[in-house]
Amino acid sequence: MSAVIEERWAERLQHSSNWSWQQVSSNTIEDITVLAELLQLDANALTKISAGSEFKLRVPLTFVSRMQAGDLNDPLLLQILPQKKEHQLAPGFSHDPLDEQRYNVSPGLVHKYRGRVLLTAAVSCPINCRYCFRRHFPYDQNRLSQDSLNTALDYIRDDNSIREVILSGGEPLLLNDRKFAQLLDKIESVPHVKQIRIHTRFPVAVPQRLTKALCERLIDSRAQVAVVLHANHPNEIDQQLKHHLAPLNNSSVTLLNQSVLLDGINNQSATLCKLSEKLYEAGVLPYYLHATDPVSGTAHFRVDDNQARDLVHEMTNQLPGYLVPTLVREISGRPAKTRL
Ligand SMILES: *Cc1c(COP(=O)(O)O)cnc(C)c1O
Ligand code: SF4
């Protein structure tokens, strides 16, 4: 292990609480040997399980800082480590099991559910989650240029049954504060849009992304705003996140969380209960617990449906109802997510 690398990163981490979010997210690790050194992992053991991938390793240092050094089974590490298992073929798993392309009504816009549309505001993520159901999404064809944004807005304006616009990803908060505010301006200019929802993992990966300007813009929206975070394990929630959520907590913005149920990461009721409790301490309510979609490369994360139901049942026995997320799966062609 190179003490030099370790020292360098340790020093950077120490100062990370003062960084701007751009600095933090550009301090992203994409090299497995650096990750191994940082986490003091046994290089041989790591080589045995890890593998290269087109969907490359990408993790911000702020997320790495919440991992346990020396633990190859760390639940945060397993969410971002490209593994050999991903290359095993699994029957029934494909690139686009949700058939999202069928509902891709214009570039960057998916209209699948009644009353709400999903706008892919940015085409990459600051963190690459191995279980991502959009890991094969043709982002390049869905880049939201000025033209395609205008086309999407025309579509929204022409259909007054659309009450909610959901900004999803990629990662909507990759837009800088100014561009993000401009996007909200445009959406808010459509009178029948009453709700704006932002689905984002960025604040969990990099809490500093919740800048003062961003929070103020969300609070000032004329629409009802909900921010749906995406955390899967209690270790992802720390003081930094709580601190950066505080302005939104003291406002009319609704804070929710969705998780993905992942084998070897959070498929224990104690872990899921702790996640709900830590979210609530940070002012966030659990919304969905997703069963994984059959996306190629993710079969090893799948939890059996019966085990999933048992887990939620156990949660129900231990927590107040408002801390129990709804267990859902996305089934192609259905008019809403399916409750399991
Ligand atoms: C999940 C999802 C939504 C929102 O569904 P809710 O049940 O309202 O959270 C909208 N569009 C698409 C394509 C989705 O996958
Ligand atoms: S943040 Fe969300 S969209 Fe981005 S890689 Fe992770 S799961 Fe996928």
Side-chain angles (χ1 to χ4, degrees):
M1 179 179 50
S2 143
V4 178
I5 292 194
E6 211 198 322
E7 227 169 80
R8 197 178 78 210
W9 288 105
E11 189 183 323
R12 287 207 200 177
L13 264 182
Q14 216 169 36
H15 297 296
S16 67
S17 59
N18 301 323
W19 288 347
S20 71
W21 69 268
Q22 284 96 338
Q23 279 172 307
V24 176
S25 55
S26 66
N27 277 276
T28 292
I29 292 164
E30 299 188 346
D31 182 329
I32 198 127
T33 52
V34 176
L35 184 67
E37 302 206 36
L38 262 178
L39 290 173
Q40 300 165 26
L41 293 171
D42 172 8
N44 283 335
L46 192 64
T47 315
K48 261 191 205 142
I49 62 166
S50 69
S53 169
E54 262 176 56
F55 185 59
K56 65 181 181 187
L57 168 73
R58 174 183 279 171
V59 58
L61 206 49
T62 41
F63 196 77
V64 176
S65 72
R66 285 169 243 151
M67 297 175 188
Q68 288 297 318
D71 183 2
L72 257 183
N73 290 315
D74 180 274
L76 276 55
L77 174 65
L78 294 180
Q79 292 182 48
I80 55 92
L81 181 69
Q83 292 198 50
K84 292 206 169 86
K85 290 176 190 170
E86 294 178 15
H87 298 289
Q88 287 164 4
L89 285 179
F93 284 65
S94 68
H95 275 30
D96 181 21
L98 303 183
D99 202 12
E100 274 200 321
Q101 294 186 52
R102 179 146 64 105
Y103 301 96
N104 210 179
V105 291
S106 81
L109 193 68
V110 177
H111 190 187
K112 185 168 172 184
Y113 296 161
R114 202 167 168 165
R116 48 228 197 270
V117 287
L118 201 139
L119 194 60
T120 50
V123 291
S124 65
C125 283
I127 179 168
N128 280 350
C129 314
R130 308 317 301 173
Y131 54 82
C132 182
F133 76 100
R134 291 227 175 90
R135 55 185 286 165
H136 310 286
F137 191 71
Y139 280 128
D140 282 344
Q141 298 157 32
N142 279 278
R143 208 169 281 279
L144 206 59
S145 65
Q146 230 20 266
D147 274 356
S148 45
L149 176 59
N150 288 334
T151 311
L153 284 162
D154 285 343
Y155 180 95
I156 296 169
R157 207 171 276 118
D158 285 347
D159 182 347
N160 62 14
S161 74
I162 298 170
R163 292 181 56 83
E164 181 173 33
V165 175
I166 301 168
L167 299 176
S168 176
E171 174 48 69
L173 296 184
L174 273 177
L175 299 180
N176 66 31
D177 289 348
R178 190 178 47 85
K179 288 204 169 132
F180 190 79
Q182 286 169 352
L183 179 60
L184 289 189
D185 289 341
K186 290 189 171 159
I187 297 168
E188 288 163 2
S189 76
V190 183
H192 55 260
V193 172
K194 306 291 183 210
Q195 289 142 243
I196 297 176
R197 195 189 325 170
I198 297 136
H199 276 250
T200 174
R201 183 149 165 77
F202 208 151
V204 171
V206 183
Q208 289 84 344
R209 176 66 193 93
L210 295 171
T211 59
K212 196 161 166 266
L214 176 69
C215 292
E216 281 171 0
R217 181 60 187 82
L218 292 173
I219 293 167
D220 288 344
S221 175
R222 69 125 187 97
Q224 191 84 40
V225 174
V227 176
V228 184
L229 299 175
H230 176 169
N232 303 312
H233 191 280
N235 293 0
E236 289 168 54
I237 297 154
D238 65 356
Q239 283 304 324
Q240 283 273 2
L241 179 60
K242 238 164 127 170
H243 172 75
H244 283 87
L245 284 171
L248 297 178
N249 257 311
N250 296 320
S251 79
S252 60
V253 172
T254 302
L255 293 176
L256 302 169
N257 180 69
Q258 60 174 354
S259 310
V260 180
L261 184 57
L262 300 165
D263 190 38
I265 292 172
N266 61 6
N267 60 328
Q268 288 187 318
S269 66
T271 307
L272 291 170
C273 286
K274 191 155 183 214
L275 173 62
S276 278
E277 284 166 346
K278 284 188 84 173
L279 285 166
Y280 191 46
E281 275 169 35
V284 182
L285 284 173
Y287 177 41
Y288 281 152
L289 177 62
H290 281 270
T292 53
D293 306 307
V295 177
S296 357
T298 68
H300 57 291
F301 285 126
R302 174 149 276 199
V303 174
D304 171 79
D305 279 0
N306 285 325
Q307 194 201 349
R309 287 189 198 97
D310 286 348
L311 283 169
V312 173
H313 189 70
E314 285 166 40
M315 288 181 86
T316 311
N317 287 338
Q318 305 203 28
L319 294 174
Y322 58 85
L323 292 188
V324 182
T326 306
L327 180 64
V328 293
R329 155 160 307 130
E330 178 103 6
I331 298 178
S332 167
R334 298 251 176 113
K337 299 213 193 311
T338 303
R339 279 151 178 78
L340 284 189

